Amino acid sequence: MPSRRKSSGACLPSADGFATSLRGLEAFDELIRSRRTHKSFGPEPVPADTLDQLLELARWAPNHHRTNPWRFRVLGPETLGRLKEAAGPGEAPKLDRAPTLVLASAALSGDLEQDEEDLCAAASAIYAVLLAAHARGLGGYWRTPRVLRTKAGREAVGLPDGERFLGLIHLGTTRSRPPAPERAPLETYRFFLP
């Protein structure tokens, strides 16, 4: 018999014995729909314990063969200084947008099929971090600055060979509430096959 969690809303039983609250589903749907990219942040860094909470959730991303390919490096002031130097005066100011920067990468094995799966798993882990940050009232921005695709940028942050840079996650308190961007309607990307 499926278990049911107590809630004020109706529960839906599932095959694995967990029950899901309709209210919880609505809140989760709204969390996904309301997350935005933020480019302006308050000056306070995200506390280390909050960062640990966000990055702990990343490990629950889907991951074929459980290779745990995601890597997250929280940039300190020395590392940020080296990265800004590698970026140059034209790009360095963009690295000051958020008080907390987390470099996200995927450790690769060299097997093309496994690497493709691991890149997708690491990207899912990044999205989990962004959603968890949003749920805690923080803003996030998944950037892919050019400097981190260069040898100088990789060296500045200690990114080893065998790891693919996926993003620089900007995190912090928000200063604005960006509007919802236009999204393609479901009918343009959902297909039923015979």
Side-chain angles (χ1 to χ4, degrees):
M1 180 111 180
S3 66
R4 293 183 180 268
R5 282 185 269 165
K6 288 183 179 181
S7 94
S8 57
C11 289
L12 302 173
S14 65
D16 62 6
F18 289 98
T20 304
S21 156
L22 287 175
R23 188 168 293 151
L25 284 175
E26 291 168 358
F28 183 69
D29 291 355
E30 180 56 25
L31 181 71
I32 291 172
R33 287 189 182 108
S34 63
R35 189 204 63 78
R36 299 285 179 271
T37 293
H38 292 267
K39 296 182 181 180
S40 178
F41 299 87
E44 308 81 25
V46 176
D49 61 331
T50 302
L51 279 173
D52 283 349
Q53 292 170 18
L54 301 178
L55 298 176
E56 193 282 331
L57 290 169
R59 71 187 182 108
W60 297 98
N63 178 216
H64 194 225
H65 298 301
R66 292 185 178 81
T67 58
N68 301 297
W70 39 80
R71 300 292 184 271
F72 295 97
R73 291 171 175 84
V74 180
L75 275 58
E78 289 178 27
T79 304
L80 178 58
R82 289 192 305 268
L83 185 60
K84 288 167 71 173
E85 186 176 322
E91 290 295 314
K94 292 181 182 179
L95 297 170
D96 286 327
R97 285 182 177 165
T100 302
L101 299 176
V102 180
L103 177 84
S105 62
L108 304 179
S109 67
D111 176 273
L112 292 179
E113 186 175 318
Q114 185 64 53
D115 286 351
E116 184 177 331
E117 291 174 354
D118 286 344
L119 288 169
C120 293
S124 296
I126 294 169
Y127 187 53
V129 169
L130 290 170
L131 282 177
H134 176 53
R136 287 161 175 77
L138 297 169
Y141 181 14
W142 180 348
R143 286 193 65 224
T144 53
R146 187 191 64 75
V147 65
L148 285 163
R149 298 183 192 285
T150 68
K151 184 176 189 236
R154 290 177 67 90
E155 287 176 354
V157 297
L159 193 62
D161 292 338
E163 282 188 37
R164 168 82 76 72
F165 162 67
L166 291 179
L168 187 62
I169 306 168
H170 289 51
L171 294 170
T173 56
T174 61
R175 287 188 170 166
S176 63
R177 191 177 178 117
E182 274 299 314
R183 300 285 183 176
L186 173 66
E187 295 75 24
T188 64
Y189 62 85
R190 183 262 296 122
F191 307 96
F192 290 105
L193 304 178

